[in-house]
Structures are given as structure tokens and as C-alpha cells.
């Protein structure tokens, strides 16, 4: 076992891995869209999630979209390979930032939750905005506009931090005590 510090991957490699993982997520979304279309054709109508209220619609969205993505991220990064499909293809893995070893499952869970936080904030904003629009509201409350802005700026901040921070650690890595490293070919 080498005592050499694992290498920080180039930013473009991290972005390439991210794009592969997002392609997989978009594939899952396409399957959900196809299932919704089949259900609509079978029943003669598209289901209006807002019938559940803004909170119910957000909860349903979490159950069918965010939770499966979170399970994917957690299960792959907590696995023996310590990497999502995108990271594996780009020869990256997640490690404990202090020991350089495999991160604990709790670290990976924190990493996953923090990573998905902007996405969940976006869903919160979307469903509450849709509910207000459905009610005919002409103005949105300031707090909802603030959440919407935060949901859009946080992913940019996460990516910039991973690119600019000394060890390439985004907020999810800092909170979890992890980092992403380049794996030597072998």
C-alpha cells in the first residue's frame, strides 16, 4: 500500500464524471416520463400532482426522483469501488479526507444529502410556485424568491468550490470529511 497522497483530479475530469452521472439521472427521468405517458394513455388524463398540495407533490417528487438518485449516489460511493459510474469511468473515487482510506457509510450519507440539497430546494421552490400560480397569485413571497435564487446559485457554488478549493472539495466533501481523488491505472 502506497503512503503517497492520492492525486487531486483535474477539474475537467470531475466535470466529465458529473456529466456521465447526470446522463444516467436523465435516463431515469426519461423512464419516469415514459411511465407517466403510459399511465396517462391508459387513464385518459395526466395526474396533477398538485392535487396532493404543494407539500404532497414535493414528497411524491422526492420519492420517485430524488430518493432513487440518492440511493444510486450513496450505494455506489459506499461500495467497494467508492465511485459512481461517472467517477469509475474517469478513474475517480471518494476517500476519507483524513485517512485517505474508504469513507464510512455515515460520511457517504452526509455527502449524498448535502449534494442533493440544492436539488430538493429547487423542487420545493417549483412546487410552491406552481401551487401559487394555480391559485392565481400575482406575486410570490420574498422567502420563496430567496429559496429559488439559492436553489439556482448553490449548484454553481458547489462546482466552483470543487474547481477552486485547494483539494478540490465541494461543500458536500467538506461536510462529510471526504474528497475525490484520481486513481492510478491498474
Amino acid at each position: 500500500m502506497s503512503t503517497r497522497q492520492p492525486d487531486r483530479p483535474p477539474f475537467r475530469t470531475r466535470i466529465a464524471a458529473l456529466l456521465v452521472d447526470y446522463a444516467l439521472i436523465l435516463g431515469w427521468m426519461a423512464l419516469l416520463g415514459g411511465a407517466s405517458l403510459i399511465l396517462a394513455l391508459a387513464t385518459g388524463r395526466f395526474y396533477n400532482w398538485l392535487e396532493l398540495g404543494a407539500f404532497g407533490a414535493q414528497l411524491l417528487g422526492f420519492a420517485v426522483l430524488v430518493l432513487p438518485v440518492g440511493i444510486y449516489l450513496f450505494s455506489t460511493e459506499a461500495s467497494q469501488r467508492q465511485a459512481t459510474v461517472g467517477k469509475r469511468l474517469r478513474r475517480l473515487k471518494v476517500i476519507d479526507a483524513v485517512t485517505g482510506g474508504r469513507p464510512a457509510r455515515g460520511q457517504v450519507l452526509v455527502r449524498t444529502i448535502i449534494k442533493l440539497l440544492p436539488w430538493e430546494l429547487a423542487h420545493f421552490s417549483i412546487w410552491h410556485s406552481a401551487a401559487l400560480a394555480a391559485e392565481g397569485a400575482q406575486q410570490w413571497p420574498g422567502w420563496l424568491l430567496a429559496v429559488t435564487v439559492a436553489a439556482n446559485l448553490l449548484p454553481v457554488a458547489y462546482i466552483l468550490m470543487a474547481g477552486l478549493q485547494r483539494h478540490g472539495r465541494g461543500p458536500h466533501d467538506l461536510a462529510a470529511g471526504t474528497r475525490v481523488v484520481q486513481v492510478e491505472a491498474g
Side-chain angles (χ1 to χ4, degrees):
M1 179 109 167
S2 172
T3 58
R4 186 176 77 78
Q5 183 71 10
D7 292 330
R8 173 188 175 180
F11 184 62
R12 68 184 176 281
T13 302
R14 294 277 306 266
I15 294 297
L18 176 71
L19 291 175
V20 169
D21 289 327
Y22 268 92
L24 293 172
I25 292 167
L26 287 173
W28 174 247
M29 293 169 73
L31 285 172
L32 290 175
S36 295
L37 181 60
I38 290 169
L39 189 59
L41 292 172
T43 63
R45 75 177 191 103
F46 278 100
Y47 181 71
N48 180 0
W49 289 21
L50 283 175
E51 290 175 14
L52 301 171
F55 180 75
Q58 183 181 349
L59 190 59
L60 182 58
F62 176 82
V64 300
L65 185 57
V66 179
L67 184 60
V69 169
I71 290 169
Y72 161 71
L73 294 171
F74 174 79
S75 64
T76 56
E77 292 181 348
S79 73
Q80 289 280 27
R81 291 185 164 168
Q82 299 164 232
T84 61
V85 171
K87 285 182 182 72
R88 285 197 319 254
L89 290 173
R90 300 304 302 169
R91 294 185 13 248
L92 304 174
K93 73 176 181 177
V94 178
I95 63 168
D96 181 290
V98 174
T99 68
R102 187 173 173 181
R105 293 174 78 76
Q107 286 177 284
V108 178
L109 181 61
V110 168
R111 186 176 198 280
T112 301
I113 290 169
I114 300 298
K115 189 186 289 189
L116 292 176
L117 180 63
W119 207 15
E120 195 54 33
L121 285 175
H123 291 165
F124 175 89
S125 172
I126 289 165
W127 287 115
H128 281 77
S129 295
L132 286 171
E135 294 169 1
Q138 298 297 313
Q139 289 186 308
W140 272 230
W143 64 266
L144 184 55
L145 293 173
V147 170
T148 303
V149 169
N152 284 283
L153 291 180
L154 280 174
V156 174
Y158 280 32
I159 291 169
L160 286 175
M161 267 187 83
L164 300 174
Q165 200 268 349
R166 187 171 76 134
H167 294 291
R169 298 170 71 196
H172 50 295
D173 284 313
L174 293 170
T178 59
R179 60 186 279 228
V180 174
V181 295
Q182 188 84 53
V183 179
E184 293 180 17

